[in-house]
Amino acid sequence: LSSIIATTGLAIFSIWYFAKKKLLVKNIQQKYIRMEFKFGISQIFFQLNIFVLASTDKYMIGHMLHDVPGLGIYFVANQFAFIINVIVGAFFFSYQPLLYTYLADLNITNKYKLLKFKYILESFFFVCTLLLCLAPPFFYKHFIKDTYHTGIAYVAWNAFAFFFWGLYSLFLGYLYYYRKNQVVIIFSILSSALCILLNYFFITKFRIIGAAYADLLTYFILFIALFITVQQVIKIKMPWFQFKKIFYS
């Protein structure tokens, strides 16, 4: 009920805001409809992939191990680590328009500016992840029941998994800008399969902590694979390691 009320209110406000800013138009060109349709198809696969990545570990713990208390302990730890994903999502919205601006005029100066912003953002994510890994003993002691304290062991693994998801997200923008919708679909399918296979293997072998291992390894592999794919598919030559020019030019 709260979700319906909130989204309805947001929809009404959005329509009012767009109308006020005169952003609502009556004539829409077919080429934009086709572009949106192609993008929408890729997003169906991407959002299903997000669901698989977020749910597979919990589902398998519940249905393979039949450990309901253990699942609850793991879930609390996973939600605590999810703070990193919230931070990534918040800054991604500011990064995406800037990325598109630089990609629209990708001269060497803008390459340096883009990489500088990217490295600063990634460093910020890394520091936040480290701090979050140090925080659980304090927060668990003061805000979470003793029953859940064994879940502290899962937090760091999940936190760094979300860190690599953040790095992965920063590269997704390249695929969206250059309209590589098919690549997004392929990545979505393969990453879902990888997530399921790794969770099955590690949970079978290591039980609950195996889910945390699987999440970290899944997101790390996805980040490396997407980094290589962007280089091969889009063929942008970026001065990744010219740190002196990136930070002091």
Side-chain angles (χ1 to χ4, degrees):
L1 182 60
S2 62
S3 296
I4 293 174
I5 294 172
T7 52
T8 301
L10 180 61
I12 294 172
F13 173 80
S14 300
I15 295 172
W16 170 81
Y17 181 84
F18 272 65
K20 182 180 179 181
K21 296 294 182 179
K22 298 181 180 179
L23 296 173
L24 298 178
V25 295
K26 295 180 180 179
N27 54 330
I28 304 174
Q29 298 181 30
Q30 288 189 359
K31 67 175 182 178
Y32 294 124
I33 295 177
R34 288 194 296 268
M35 282 171 51
E36 185 62 28
F37 184 76
K38 291 179 180 179
F39 178 75
I41 293 294
S42 69
Q43 284 304 291
I44 291 174
F45 284 90
F46 180 72
Q47 293 301 325
L48 287 173
N49 176 42
I50 293 294
F51 173 76
V52 171
L53 291 174
S55 305
T56 299
D57 51 354
K58 291 91 170 175
Y59 179 85
M60 287 192 173
I61 290 172
H63 289 265
M64 289 173 57
L65 303 181
H66 304 289
D67 186 354
V68 176
L71 175 58
I73 292 170
Y74 177 84
F75 184 79
V76 170
N78 184 266
Q79 288 297 104
F80 190 84
F82 191 78
I83 294 172
I84 298 300
N85 199 37
V86 173
I87 295 172
V88 168
F91 282 90
F92 180 77
F93 287 113
S94 63
Y95 166 80
Q96 194 86 332
L98 188 65
L99 172 66
Y100 288 178
T101 299
Y102 287 138
L103 291 179
D105 184 21
L106 199 58
N107 54 47
I108 189 63
T109 300
N110 283 342
K111 285 183 179 180
Y112 289 141
K113 290 180 179 179
L114 177 58
L115 288 180
K116 182 178 181 180
F117 186 73
K118 181 188 290 287
Y119 284 143
I120 291 174
L121 202 55
E122 290 172 352
S123 299
F124 175 71
F125 292 160
F126 183 73
V127 171
C128 289
T129 304
L130 287 179
L131 292 175
L132 188 71
C133 291
L134 297 174
F138 173 81
F139 282 95
Y140 267 71
K141 179 180 179 181
H142 291 88
F143 301 105
I144 299 176
K145 290 182 178 181
D146 295 345
T147 311
Y148 295 90
H149 284 198
T150 54
I152 292 176
Y154 310 138
V155 173
W157 296 98
N158 281 311
F160 273 99
F162 289 127
F163 166 73
F164 283 111
W165 171 253
L167 302 188
Y168 176 85
S169 300
L170 295 182
F171 280 96
L172 277 176
Y174 290 88
L175 298 183
Y176 290 145
Y177 181 82
Y178 290 102
R179 301 173 190 169
K180 302 296 182 180
N181 295 315
Q182 291 182 339
V183 179
V184 174
I185 292 174
I186 293 172
F187 251 91
S188 299
I189 295 172
L190 293 179
S191 60
S192 294
L194 177 67
C195 177
I196 293 170
L197 289 173
L198 288 179
N199 270 281
Y200 180 82
F201 174 78
F202 280 103
I203 292 175
T204 302
K205 189 173 182 62
F206 300 106
R207 298 187 67 81
I208 293 179
I209 190 67
Y213 297 160
D215 282 354
L216 177 57
L217 187 57
T218 297
Y219 289 125
F220 176 75
I221 293 174
L222 289 179
F223 162 62
I224 297 298
L226 184 58
F227 177 81
I228 295 172
T229 301
V230 167
Q231 308 302 309
Q232 297 297 320
V233 173
I234 301 177
K235 302 184 185 302
I236 297 177
K237 293 183 178 180
M238 298 291 284
W240 297 105
F241 304 109
Q242 297 180 20
F243 297 110
K244 186 175 181 180
K245 292 184 178 180
I246 291 171
F247 290 100
Y248 298 104
S249 62

